[in-house]
């Protein structure tokens, strides 16, 4: 069976697909917001260190597990642990996580599609109204946009690895790079853009504390799509003719460069709109930045480039974020698809149908949890806050479980699958890996301090999120 497993058609195709997964809303909005709040260049510096020292080894481990086992995450844990029941818990966890993240990511992607549609059809002024977002998420239009997003994801995934995922990444990723660079150039020509630029790049180390360090690592981990089974799944479609270390470095570099460029776009845009902005007030969440603050900035451009020009800029921006979101959504939905195909023997269309219906129902429950249905809107309450179903899914699966999955993977690779098997996989088509400084570093870090760091983040998040107890600043 493993001999017939579908593969990416080329190295470039694989890299674009994996980078497509990594580049998402986290890069385009989450990263610039975090950089603005946490000391600009100082945050960048810490983020870059975490990408290289912590996230890169974890990515290599995930890709190796997938390529070696030639299976989905659940099957990988099962096969490489030789059927150990305890490790299949880790396998299940890394299957449920992408399933639930896909649910909330779908909801945000639907909103992006809606905003793209509205901006492109002349409704920018309405989008810029501060009350619009609240009305929009509870309007029935959302269900139509939902059908459009679900249809697009299905259309891509039904084509399989090469003709679906790879082909769409080869179209959307270059388009994304061009739109991003075009917008950065445009924004830098605006008045006061350079105030934003210097705010972004000049480091302010006084803003760094333990909480910021924690955020930088969580952001880096999420941004590289780790702990979600995606890199295990994509690794299983990777050819043995490629080097894992080289590919992982390239994916991480692309992801980081896109995040950096997104900062060059968002911060100058914010400062050109209001040079005296107090960045501490800058919205806490990426969601309010994209859907409330940025439309106001786009509309303000009408003074210099007219309403049509402003709508065009807004449309390109929403298209950019939408492309980034769709390639990520495709990658995360592929994880349960590959499990249903691999473990249950479903055909791809059948797996997609089952997932579209079941995940779709939970997504709809999330859509109804913004006030329309009372018990979904006040689903539970912890640490003194009432949470909607949507909030709970984000808290549990995005904020909490990712580092736990990363921790389990590091322990699995180092102590159960065993280092020599991991090395063997890393050395395939890579004569330079054995004995290299990188090889020794990856080996040491994955079995020692990376799991410790991930454990600390996990414990800290649980204490803070659910019990309101803060161990660190
Ligand atoms: N790396 C993605 C981002 O930055 C995270 C993600 C991947 C989320 C896949 C969902 C699905 O947004």
């Amino acid at each position: 069976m493993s001999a017939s497993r579908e593969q990416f058609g080329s190295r470039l195709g694989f890299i674009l697909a994996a980078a497509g997964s990594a580049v998402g809303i986290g890069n385009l909005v989450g990263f610039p917001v975090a950089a603005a709040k946490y000391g600009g260049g100082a945050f960048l510096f810490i983020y870059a260190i975490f990408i290289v020292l912590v996230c890169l080894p974890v990515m290599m481990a995930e890709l190796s597990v997938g390529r070696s086992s030639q299976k989905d995450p659940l099957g990988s844990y099962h096969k490489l642990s030789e059927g150990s029941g305890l490790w299949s818990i880790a396998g299940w966890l890394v299957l449920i996580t992408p399933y639930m993240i896909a649910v909330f990511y779908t909801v945000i992607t639907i909103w992006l599609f809606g905003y793209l549609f509205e901006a492109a059809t002349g409704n920018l002024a309405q989008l810029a109204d501060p009350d619009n977002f609240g009305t929009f998420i509870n309007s029935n239009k959302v269900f139509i946009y939902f059908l459009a997003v679900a249809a697009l994801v299905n259309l891509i995934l039904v084509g399989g690895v090469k003709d679906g995922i790879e082909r769409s990444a080869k179209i959307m990723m270059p388009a994304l790079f061009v739109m991003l660079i075009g917008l950065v150039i445009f924004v830098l020509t605006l008045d006061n853009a350079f105030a934003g630029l210097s705010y972004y790049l000049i480091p302010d180390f006084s803003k760094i504390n333990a909480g910021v360090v924690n955020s930088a690592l969580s952001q880096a981990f999420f941004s590289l799509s780790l702990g979600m089974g995606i890199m295990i799944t994509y690794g299983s479609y990777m050819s043995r003719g490629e080097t894992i270390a080289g590919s992982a470095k390239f994916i991480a570099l692309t992801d980081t460069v896109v995040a950096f460029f997104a900062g060059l776009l968002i911060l100058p845009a914010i400062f050109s709109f209001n040079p005296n902005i107090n960045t501490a007030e800058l919205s806490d969440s990426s969601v309010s930045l994209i859907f409330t603050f940025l439309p106001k900035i786009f509309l303000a451009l009408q003074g210099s480039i007219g309403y049509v020009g402003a709508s065009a800029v807004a449309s390109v921006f929403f298209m950019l974020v939408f492309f980034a979101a769709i390639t990520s959504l495709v990658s995360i939905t592929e994880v349960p698809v590959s499990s249903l195909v691999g473990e249950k023997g479903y055909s791809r269309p059948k797996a997609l149908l089952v997932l579209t219906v079941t995940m779709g129902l939970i997504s709809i429950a999330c859509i109804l949890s913004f006030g329309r249905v009372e018990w979904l809107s006040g689903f539970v309450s912890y640490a003194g806050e009432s949470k909607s179903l949507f909030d709970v899914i984000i808290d549990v699966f995005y904020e909490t479980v990712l580092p736990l999955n990363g921790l389990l993977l590091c322990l699995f690779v180092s102590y159960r699958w065993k280092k020599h098997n991991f090395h063997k996989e890393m050395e395939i088509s890579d004569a330079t890996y054995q004995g290299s400084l990188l090889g020794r570093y990856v080996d040491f870090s994955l079995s020692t301090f990376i799991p410790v760091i991930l454990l600390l983040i996990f414990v800290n998040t649980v204490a803070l999120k659910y019990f309101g107890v803060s161990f660190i600043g």
Side-chain angles (χ1 to χ4, degrees):
M1 210 183 122
S2 61
S4 64
R5 193 172 184 82
E6 211 190 338
Q7 285 192 345
F8 286 107
S10 64
R11 177 173 152 85
L12 180 70
F14 164 69
I15 298 227
L16 286 178
S21 170
V23 171
I25 303 169
N27 301 61
L28 293 177
V29 191
F31 177 83
V33 171
K37 288 200 305 192
Y38 302 139
F43 181 82
L44 256 73
F45 179 69
I46 296 176
Y47 179 86
I49 289 182
F50 280 144
I51 289 279
V52 176
L53 296 186
V54 177
C55 297
L56 204 54
V58 176
M59 184 185 279
M60 292 176 190
E62 289 203 14
L63 290 171
S64 298
V65 163
R67 193 173 70 176
S68 169
S69 70
Q70 291 289 295
K71 290 203 176 286
D72 63 282
L74 188 60
S76 295
Y77 270 103
H78 190 74
K79 182 171 171 183
L80 302 183
S81 70
E82 287 152 4
S84 145
L86 213 55
W87 284 109
S88 51
I89 298 176
W92 275 104
L93 207 53
V94 90
L95 181 61
I96 295 166
T97 306
Y99 186 94
M100 296 306 284
I101 291 184
V103 165
F104 89 76
Y105 216 74
T106 299
V107 176
I108 300 179
T109 309
I110 293 168
W111 296 340
L112 284 169
F113 184 74
Y115 268 55
L116 166 60
F117 185 81
E118 298 292 337
T121 51
N123 294 331
L124 178 62
Q126 191 194 329
L127 297 184
D129 179 332
D131 295 329
N132 183 69
F133 184 59
T135 319
F136 169 78
I137 58 174
N138 281 325
S139 70
N140 289 337
K141 280 185 192 171
V142 167
F143 295 106
I144 310 213
Y145 299 135
F146 172 61
L147 292 179
V149 167
L152 184 57
V153 170
N154 273 279
L155 192 72
I156 294 172
L157 283 176
V158 81
V161 177
K162 202 154 98 191
D163 294 332
I165 300 174
E166 180 170 344
R167 196 154 66 156
S168 63
K170 278 183 167 163
I171 299 168
M172 284 196 263
M173 291 309 286
L176 183 149
F177 298 139
V178 171
M179 287 189 280
L180 180 60
I181 292 171
L183 283 175
V184 168
I185 294 173
F186 169 74
V187 162
L188 290 180
T189 62
L190 299 174
D191 290 343
N192 294 314
F194 281 83
L197 205 58
S198 55
Y199 187 87
Y200 179 40
L201 297 178
I202 296 175
D204 177 359
F205 280 98
S206 70
K207 296 229 173 93
I208 303 296
N209 56 35
V212 171
V213 173
N214 190 340
S215 304
L217 183 51
S218 302
Q219 171 72 26
F221 206 78
F222 177 72
S223 190
L224 289 189
S225 297
L226 300 176
M228 310 179 193
I230 296 175
M231 293 299 161
I232 300 180
T233 309
Y234 276 20
S236 76
Y237 302 141
M238 187 180 177
S239 141
R240 292 218 150 87
E242 282 156 33
T243 74
I244 288 180
S247 304
K249 280 189 229 164
F250 211 85
I251 298 163
L253 183 69
T254 310
D255 187 68
T256 308
V257 169
V258 170
F260 179 72
F261 268 71
L264 293 179
L265 165 64
I266 304 269
L267 284 157
I270 292 174
F271 274 77
S272 84
F273 175 71
N274 178 2
N276 301 316
I277 188 123
N278 174 5
T279 46
E281 276 166 31
L282 229 139
S283 54
D284 251 357
S285 77
S286 308
V287 166
S288 57
L289 182 87
I290 318 181
F291 298 107
T292 309
F293 199 64
L294 288 178
K296 263 196 297 191
I297 298 185
F298 294 133
L299 185 65
L301 291 172
Q302 68 178 342
S304 50
I305 54 175
Y307 188 71
V308 175
S311 302
V313 172
S315 305
V316 173
F317 175 79
F318 283 112
M319 176 102 90
L320 166 73
V321 188
F322 178 67
F323 275 19
I326 279 287
T327 45
S328 297
L329 193 55
V330 160
S331 72
I332 204 154
T333 312
E334 176 61 16
V335 179
V337 168
S338 74
S339 286
L340 284 178
V341 171
E343 307 301 306
K344 290 223 159 257
Y346 284 17
S347 66
R348 280 186 89 77
K350 183 174 170 192
L352 280 166
L353 183 67
V354 169
L355 292 170
T356 305
V357 171
T358 58
M359 287 160 59
L361 287 174
I362 311 178
S363 295
I364 290 174
C366 285
I367 290 172
L368 298 175
S369 79
F370 306 112
R372 281 203 253 211
V373 173
E374 213 174 305
W375 68 274
L376 292 171
S377 309
F379 196 62
V380 279
S381 126
Y382 40 75
E385 272 182 71
S386 159
K387 301 273 184 170
S388 68
L389 176 67
F390 182 77
D391 294 334
V392 173
I393 294 178
I394 293 189
D395 279 354
V396 174
F397 291 97
Y398 158 44
E399 304 256 9
T400 316
V401 174
L402 294 186
L404 177 65
N405 286 342
L407 162 69
L408 293 174
L409 183 100
C410 292
L411 298 179
F412 178 70
V413 165
S414 303
Y415 301 109
R416 174 73 211 203
W417 184 34
K418 297 275 163 35
K419 289 179 181 178
H420 62 273
N421 290 316
F422 171 49
H423 287 175
K424 244 195 284 166
E425 194 58 43
M426 291 296 292
E427 285 158 16
I428 293 175
S429 305
D430 192 350
T432 59
Y433 187 78
Q434 194 183 20
S436 67
L437 184 63
L438 175 73
R440 276 179 287 154
Y441 174 74
V442 170
D443 180 294
F444 175 72
S445 62
L446 276 179
S447 55
T448 53
F449 65 86
I450 294 181
V452 173
I453 292 176
L454 293 172
L455 179 66
L456 289 177
I457 292 201
F458 174 67
V459 171
N460 184 49
T461 309
V462 171
L464 190 63
K465 277 263 152 213
Y466 307 99
F467 301 99
V469 180
S470 174
F471 293 138
I472 58 176

